[in-house]
Amino acid sequence: MRHFSKVLRTGRHTGNVFQSSLKRLAGTSSVLWVERLIAEIEDREGLMTSSFCTWVERFSSFHTCDLHKKTRREQTIQTAIEDAGFDATEMEEEEVHGRYTVCRLQIKGMTCTACSSCIESSLEQTHGVKKAVVALATEEAEVHYDPEIVNYKMLIKSVTDAGFEAELISAGNESNRIHLKLEGTHTQEDMELLQSSLMEFLGVKNVETDLQNSKIAVSYDPDETGPRRFLEVIGKAGFKASLQTDLGAPDRSKEVKEYKHQFLWSCVLTIPLFTLSMILMYIPALKHILQSKIINMLTVGMLLRWVLSSPVQFFFGRRFYTGAYNALKHGSTNMDVLIALGTNAAYFYSVYVVIRAATSNHFKEIDVFETSAMLISFILLGKYLEVLAKGKTSEAIAKLIELQPEFATLLTLDENGDVLAEKEISTQLIQRKDMIKITPGQKFPTDGVVIWGVSYVSESMITGEACPVPKHPGDKIIGGTLNQSSVLHVQATHVGSETALAQIVRLVKAAQMAKAPVQKYADKISRYFVPFVVLAALITCMAWFGAGISGTYPKSWIPASMDEFELALQFGISVLVIACPCALGLATPTAVMVATGIGASQGILIKGGQALESTHKVQCIVFDKTGTLTEGKPVVTSTKLFRGLPLSNFYRLVSAVEANSVHPIARAILQYAPALCEKTNDSDWNCQVENFELVTGQGVHAITGNKRVAIGNRKLMQSLNIALSEEAQQHLQSMEELAQTAVLVSFDNQVVGIISVSDPVKPEAAGAISLLQSWGIRSIIVTGDNWGTARAVAREVGVDTVIAEAEPSTKVDKIKDLQRTGMIVGMVGDGINDSPALVAADVGMAIGAGTDVAIEAADIVLMRSNLEDVLTAIHLSKKTFSRIKINYVWALGYNVLALPLAAGVLFPLVGLRLPPWVAGAAMAISSVSVVCSSLLLRSYKRPKKLITLKQIKLSS
């Protein structure tokens, strides 16, 4: 199908939203789609312009034609759009779907923001890469690239060339693509055999093999086949394979184990080395042995210290050499450069002392081998603790993954739907349309729809809603939720990466990848930090050495085991190793990781650091009305008849006409009518309907029961030249004042009744607005509903400023007007017509029960559709950025205070000197303390006022 971009005269954002609607049109029955679109937008306050409604109806008449084959139809569509008053240009396919794809890589070996910046630079210099984002805290890279120019293997090579390890997590569109890991070793012929076998399956689109990593990637149509079939084929071919997923939290167990072992083994050498240097030398009997000369002035102690320190320096410290070399090779500096310089200075100076002692009879300098060895051991301990703490920041993702049960019960049914057999399978092997049995106490393994059974389901783990939700046949199920009371048979509708749980995990991961704007300050500081520290270390060393040989300070300041140069060298090394760019780099991302995880656990999905940062600055929130402040589920509250006819006869004709509409008000009437039928014992409600016509934004009319029936608003009656009596007009006005929608009904051009439909205000709305006001945040209602209803709702919830009968562009204009005054503006909405405003606002919050378009446009998704979560999001943002400020104060304060201390500023005054190994330990503790500070956010509690408000609401 060809695509067209429509730019409304009222604003660019609105055009983009309707462009999304146009793309959704493909593959749908035209008449049904038009009715649904119109009903949905009218339900969200009837904000479609008449010109666009006309265009939609004209478009529907062309949709049933084969648009793939008939270019003439494309021109006709474009003409119809332009005739409706919109600009339309044909878009190339790549403009619509996007030429770029996304690849996610796991990166190993990063130590600070300088490393992540180096990798970003290396990736972005690769031809075909549009954008690369590397997150230090999650150790992942997200790369947007053109698959026609570059592939993921080339991206991995770019990372490897930069001196880091990279492993593919996912590439391209993973929604209908799985990765299979083969066990054992295989040949190219084996891979080709499996590839050809899998390609024979109906629904398999593409199969890619990776012999080096023994992996197979399969793209398929989930309606035709699935992973269970693929594993069966691989098994029949004599191979074993397992399904891999990228949804889990980063597995740091291997890294933790590696750092732990390296630290412990380095201690095996460092502790004896420290004992030789600092303890045994003061025991007379052992001192005599250790000072025994081997060659010239070379002693046994020197040789032992050299032997013990060398493995620590070059084996356990090799990661620092590698990191420093790769950083310098690409013209950057990082923490590894500082560590390598510091340890090398101490080690190679000691080697120089040993060589001089072995070749001279008068050389009396003392080696400092213990300095470099202890420094490396303490840094390894710090990295071990840091990785351990980082793992805690990803616990939110791990807990989300744990919601999905490991196994599920697969049912085999006969043609009549009777159960023939049950089989336990891995949850990962569930395919679309599978029938799954869930007993009480079990979690649902995937998204689906109830086919048989009635039960209560706890959705608190996904949405945060405490009350169990009743489920009947036809109701939707969210994977990961808990079945509480009875057995259910559920048909899988979304599996694997398509499930709601998988999308939540992916959204949280994406949020943790996105950098908060405040992070750019740390990145700028880190860029110049290491060169500054190296320069400071050189100046420190030269200053102390110069002062020593010139006699500026007394000889008594020099420790007995040192001379002027050794003292100056120790001061320089301490400056090198005490500086910690890592703490700066971890201050923001670790806090954002914890906060987004906490938000997800409370039903608030925050799309990245920028959204989190902007939320705590919000000064004004613009609320949509329908579906946001109100329930969005209209119900019939009363009926006023102006002629003497039975109520059952009235609703018999009304329901016959409304049965042809999908409008929410029509559904409300149809839900009310059967209950009335039961009360009146009237079973004859079947009426034939002829000449049904939908008038967009006004209502419907048709012929039924030998009467012309019109149902709609005042505009419909005016267009049909149907007069309203004084009594009808007064009733209309009173209904609007009560915040109710009045539906006029006429039989044969005479108004016979008014149906009052009410959309109740959410019980928490008034309390939430009141709390916002107490926080100094202004609230405004901007709605497309009539002024009477809008004012009534505003009075009920306590909002002073209200704008009614507003089109989507009006909402955008209002937000921009507020922004021009310097205010940070938030927008809370749920409908298609709210999407432009959600994009225009500094922070867009979409109600979770809203449309997909609104959720896509928003920065924050409130899964529970509860307005209290607006306040929770703001409060969480404030707490997070208070924690980030504390992290920065600590990280910057540490470096500001530690550098002068390491340089010996206090040494002349109080004799305080930091040996290099103490400086290294302080540096390691600095990083760990920042991560632990961020972890304190895990104890976040909702505002006390919200808890009190909820208790009041429950008691009422």
Side-chain angles (χ1 to χ4, degrees):
M1 175 181 175
R2 293 283 184 175
H3 301 269
F4 296 89
S5 72
K6 305 175 298 301
V7 183
L8 296 184
R9 292 169 180 164
T10 52
R12 176 175 60 84
H13 292 298
T14 307
N16 290 341
V17 173
F18 286 129
Q19 177 182 315
S20 301
S21 299
L22 175 59
K23 287 189 282 183
R24 288 167 50 195
L25 183 59
T28 312
S29 172
S30 61
V31 175
L32 180 61
W33 184 88
V34 171
E35 282 196 0
R36 283 179 177 170
L37 178 63
I38 292 171
E40 185 174 48
I41 295 180
E42 284 182 341
D43 183 28
R44 310 295 175 184
E45 298 159 9
L47 295 183
M48 293 178 66
T49 61
S50 59
S51 54
F52 186 72
C53 294
T54 305
W55 171 79
V56 170
E57 292 174 20
R58 293 185 63 177
F59 185 87
S60 67
S61 64
F62 303 122
H63 178 63
T64 52
C65 303
D66 187 351
L67 299 178
H68 289 283
K69 298 179 180 180
K70 298 185 179 180
T71 308
R72 181 175 61 83
R73 295 300 184 190
E74 299 157 6
Q75 297 170 349
T76 310
I77 294 169
Q78 184 171 352
T79 302
I81 298 171
E82 290 172 347
D83 289 346
F86 303 92
D87 296 328
T89 56
E90 188 175 330
M91 300 174 68
E92 295 297 328
E93 199 70 18
E94 70 175 25
E95 290 182 75
V96 178
H97 298 293
R99 187 177 61 182
Y100 294 95
T101 188
V102 180
C103 169
R104 289 176 55 228
L105 303 173
Q106 184 76 46
I107 310 292
K108 295 181 180 179
M110 293 190 293
T111 57
C112 60
T113 52
C115 298
S116 58
S117 299
C118 175
I119 297 171
E120 283 182 1
S121 176
S122 178
L123 287 167
E124 288 178 347
Q125 289 174 7
T126 305
H127 181 54
V129 173
K130 181 184 180 183
K131 183 179 74 171
V133 179
V134 180
L136 174 65
T138 59
E139 296 183 344
E140 290 185 9
E142 186 177 275
V143 189
H144 298 250
Y145 67 99
D146 186 344
E148 295 182 2
I149 299 175
V150 65
N151 57 39
Y152 72 87
K153 293 180 181 178
M154 297 168 67
L155 298 176
I156 291 176
K157 186 177 184 300
S158 294
V159 177
T160 306
D161 291 343
F164 302 89
E165 297 178 35
E167 185 178 339
L168 179 69
I169 299 176
S170 63
N173 180 13
E174 297 289 319
S175 60
N176 295 320
R177 178 186 173 95
I178 60 169
H179 297 268
L180 303 171
K181 175 72 174 177
L182 297 176
E183 298 178 9
T185 56
H186 309 87
T187 63
Q188 183 62 38
E189 289 74 17
D190 295 337
M191 288 295 194
E192 291 175 357
L193 172 64
L194 292 174
Q195 184 178 28
S196 60
S197 300
L198 291 170
M199 284 299 296
E200 291 177 359
F201 268 110
L202 178 65
V204 173
K205 300 175 181 178
N206 185 41
V207 178
E208 297 177 8
T209 60
D210 183 354
L211 178 61
Q212 184 177 357
N213 297 310
S214 298
K215 290 183 179 180
I216 299 176
V218 185
S219 300
Y220 64 99
D221 181 353
D223 287 324
E224 299 290 345
T225 186
R228 199 163 63 246
R229 300 290 302 278
F230 304 150
L231 293 178
E232 288 175 1
V233 169
I234 293 173
K236 289 179 180 178
F239 303 97
K240 289 185 178 180
S242 59
L243 188 64
Q244 289 192 319
T245 176
D246 67 321
L247 293 179
D251 185 7
R252 300 185 187 273
S253 58
K254 183 179 178 182
E255 192 178 7
V256 169
K257 187 177 181 181
E258 183 180 346
Y259 272 118
K260 181 180 179 181
H261 285 174
Q262 287 194 351
F263 167 67
L264 292 176
W265 280 109
S266 70
C267 286
V268 170
L269 299 172
T270 302
I271 292 174
L273 177 60
F274 176 80
T275 305
L276 279 173
S277 304
M278 301 295 179
I279 299 175
L280 300 184
M281 291 300 292
Y282 296 95
I283 300 175
L286 295 175
K287 180 180 179 181
H288 177 72
I289 297 173
L290 293 173
Q291 288 187 340
S292 301
K293 294 180 175 62
I294 300 175
I295 302 174
N296 293 326
M297 301 300 292
L298 178 64
T299 65
V300 172
M302 282 183 178
L303 189 61
L304 286 174
R305 288 192 291 271
W306 190 11
V307 170
L308 289 171
S309 67
S310 294
V312 178
Q313 181 73 28
F314 298 109
F315 182 75
F316 298 113
R318 70 185 183 279
R319 63 172 62 246
F320 306 119
Y321 282 102
T322 304
Y325 169 75
N326 291 323
L328 294 172
K329 184 174 70 173
H330 289 85
S332 63
T333 52
N334 60 10
M335 193 192 74
D336 290 334
V337 173
L338 296 179
I339 296 172
L341 284 173
T343 56
N344 279 342
Y347 179 82
F348 285 106
Y349 169 74
S350 300
V351 171
Y352 163 75
V353 170
V354 170
I355 294 173
R356 283 294 307 274
T359 57
S360 173
N361 288 320
H362 306 288
F363 190 76
K364 295 184 178 180
E365 302 294 339
I366 299 174
D367 62 87
V368 287
F369 281 118
E370 75 282 354
T371 297
S372 65
M374 291 178 67
L375 181 56
I376 288 173
S377 294
F378 272 103
I379 290 172
L380 288 174
L381 172 61
K383 295 299 291 183
Y384 165 68
L385 295 175
E386 182 183 321
V387 172
L388 209 60
K390 276 184 181 179
K392 300 290 185 182
T393 64
S394 300
E395 280 190 353
I397 292 178
K399 288 180 179 178
L400 285 171
I401 294 297
E402 288 172 2
L403 292 177
Q404 189 178 54
E406 188 175 355
F407 298 100
T409 303
L410 177 67
L411 299 179
T412 303
L413 306 179
D414 60 15
E415 295 178 354
N416 298 322
D418 296 326
V419 177
L420 295 178
E422 297 182 6
K423 179 183 178 183
E424 189 176 76
I425 63 170
S426 169
T427 298
Q428 294 183 348
L429 300 183
I430 296 176
Q431 299 177 182
R432 194 179 291 179
K433 299 180 182 179
D434 279 350
M435 191 68 69
I436 308 298
K437 175 185 175 181
I438 298 92
T439 58
Q442 284 188 330
K443 291 179 180 178
F444 294 91
T446 189
D447 294 357
V449 61
V450 177
I451 301 300
W452 177 87
V454 177
S455 182
Y456 279 90
V457 174
S458 173
E459 298 181 345
S460 60
M461 59 286 294
I462 299 292
T463 66
E465 181 57 53
C467 298
V469 180
K471 297 293 181 180
H472 304 84
D475 288 343
K476 293 181 179 178
I477 294 294
I478 303 174
T481 55
L482 180 68
N483 183 23
Q484 288 194 332
S485 54
S486 303
V487 176
L488 291 177
H489 292 180
V490 175
Q491 187 175 52
T493 56
H494 298 84
V495 296
S497 59
E498 299 175 337
T499 63
L501 181 61
Q503 292 176 23
I504 291 170
V505 171
R506 196 172 293 111
L507 186 58
V508 173
K509 280 191 170 186
Q512 294 177 349
M513 283 288 297
K515 293 183 179 180
V518 71
Q519 176 69 24
K520 65 185 178 183
Y521 299 114
D523 293 342
K524 286 181 180 179
I525 293 172
S526 297
R527 193 179 306 165
Y528 304 105
F529 187 82
V530 175
F532 167 78
V533 170
V534 173
L535 182 62
L538 286 173
I539 293 172
T540 299
C541 185
M542 292 171 64
W544 275 102
F545 182 63
I549 61 176
S550 65
T552 304
Y553 62 81
K555 297 291 184 182
S556 60
W557 285 12
I558 304 174
S561 60
M562 296 186 188
D563 59 18
E564 292 87 348
F565 178 74
E566 286 184 76
L567 180 63
L569 181 63
Q570 292 240 352
F571 278 125
I573 293 172
S574 294
V575 170
L576 278 174
V577 299
I578 203 169
C580 187
C582 294
L584 283 171
L586 293 170
T588 297
T590 52
V592 169
M593 282 181 69
V594 177
T596 51
I598 291 295
S601 67
Q602 303 221 9
I604 302 169
L605 300 183
I606 304 168
K607 298 181 181 179
Q610 183 164 357
L612 191 62
E613 180 172 346
S614 300
T615 303
H616 82 284
K617 301 176 183 176
V618 167
Q619 299 165 298
C620 176
I621 296 182
V622 176
F623 287 94
D624 170 46
K625 182 185 74 68
T626 307
T628 302
L629 292 174
T630 65
E631 297 287 356
K633 299 175 182 177
V635 293
V636 174
T637 57
S638 64
T639 307
K640 175 72 172 179
L641 298 181
F642 303 113
R643 291 176 58 185
L645 75 160
L647 192 62
S648 59
N649 289 346
F650 172 80
Y651 270 105
R652 180 169 59 88
L653 298 178
V654 169
S655 60
V657 175
E658 291 287 30
N660 295 275
S661 174
V662 293
H663 193 283
I665 291 180
R667 291 196 293 267
I669 293 172
L670 291 173
Q671 288 175 357
Y672 177 77
L676 183 65
C677 174
E678 291 178 5
K679 291 179 181 179
T680 58
N681 296 320
D682 188 352
S683 59
D684 184 20
W685 280 59
N686 297 319
C687 296
Q688 187 175 358
V689 177
E690 298 175 351
N691 300 331
F692 175 84
E693 186 175 344
L694 168 70
V695 182
T696 305
Q698 298 181 18
V700 296
H701 58 88
I703 296 174
T704 182
N706 297 321
K707 295 181 182 292
R708 172 165 290 281
V709 179
I711 308 166
N713 56 23
R714 196 192 304 257
K715 288 183 179 179
L716 179 67
M717 299 301 145
Q718 290 173 351
S719 66
L720 297 176
N721 297 320
I722 300 174
L724 297 182
S725 65
E726 184 69 24
E727 184 182 6
Q729 291 182 7
Q730 289 178 356
H731 190 73
L732 272 176
Q733 186 176 352
S734 64
M735 289 300 100
E736 289 178 355
E737 291 174 355
L738 293 172
Q740 295 186 2
T741 301
V743 180
L744 295 159
V745 179
S746 74
F747 292 169
D748 293 331
N749 297 330
Q750 288 188 352
V751 176
V752 296
I754 296 179
I755 301 173
S756 298
V757 179
S758 175
D759 186 5
V761 172
K762 291 181 177 178
E764 76 277 5
I769 297 293
S770 176
L771 275 180
L772 284 173
Q773 291 173 348
S774 69
W775 289 357
I777 299 174
R778 181 184 175 193
S779 298
I780 296 174
I781 296 177
V782 182
T783 176
D785 211 336
N786 64 75
W787 279 99
T789 302
R791 288 191 180 114
V793 170
R795 282 195 301 271
E796 187 172 347
V797 299
V799 174
D800 297 327
T801 307
V802 59
I803 298 173
E805 299 178 5
E807 294 186 356
S809 58
T810 308
K811 295 185 179 183
V812 174
D813 292 341
K814 181 59 181 177
I815 287 173
K816 289 182 177 179
D817 288 342
L818 292 168
Q819 289 171 333
R820 289 189 194 100
T821 65
M823 299 185 78
I824 305 298
V825 183
M827 169 71 193
V828 184
D830 69 325
I832 290 176
N833 55 332
D834 296 322
S835 302
L838 289 169
V839 174
D842 296 288
V843 180
M845 300 186 192
I847 299 297
T851 63
D852 292 341
V853 179
I855 291 172
E856 184 68 25
D859 301 302
I860 296 175
V861 181
L862 310 177
M863 293 182 60
R864 296 193 307 163
S865 303
N866 191 316
L867 290 174
E868 292 174 3
D869 289 341
V870 174
L871 292 103
T872 303
I874 295 172
H875 188 256
L876 176 60
S877 174
K878 289 180 178 179
K879 289 292 184 182
T880 302
F881 274 83
S882 293
R883 182 56 53 184
I884 288 174
K885 288 176 184 176
I886 293 171
N887 288 351
Y888 274 124
V889 167
W890 168 251
L892 288 170
Y894 163 82
N895 283 292
V896 168
L897 295 175
L899 284 172
L901 192 63
V905 171
L906 297 180
F907 186 63
L909 301 176
V910 295
L912 179 62
R913 180 178 65 86
L914 292 183
W917 66 270
V918 175
M923 183 272 291
I925 292 171
S926 174
S927 295
V928 174
S929 63
V930 167
V931 178
C932 291
S933 173
S934 295
L935 288 173
L936 291 176
L937 282 170
R938 294 167 65 194
S939 61
Y940 170 80
K941 302 293 183 185
R942 287 157 61 90
K944 290 183 178 179
K945 289 184 179 180
L946 271 185
I947 297 171
T948 305
L949 180 66
K950 188 170 184 178
Q951 290 172 346
I952 293 172
K953 187 176 72 175
L954 289 174
S955 63
S956 61

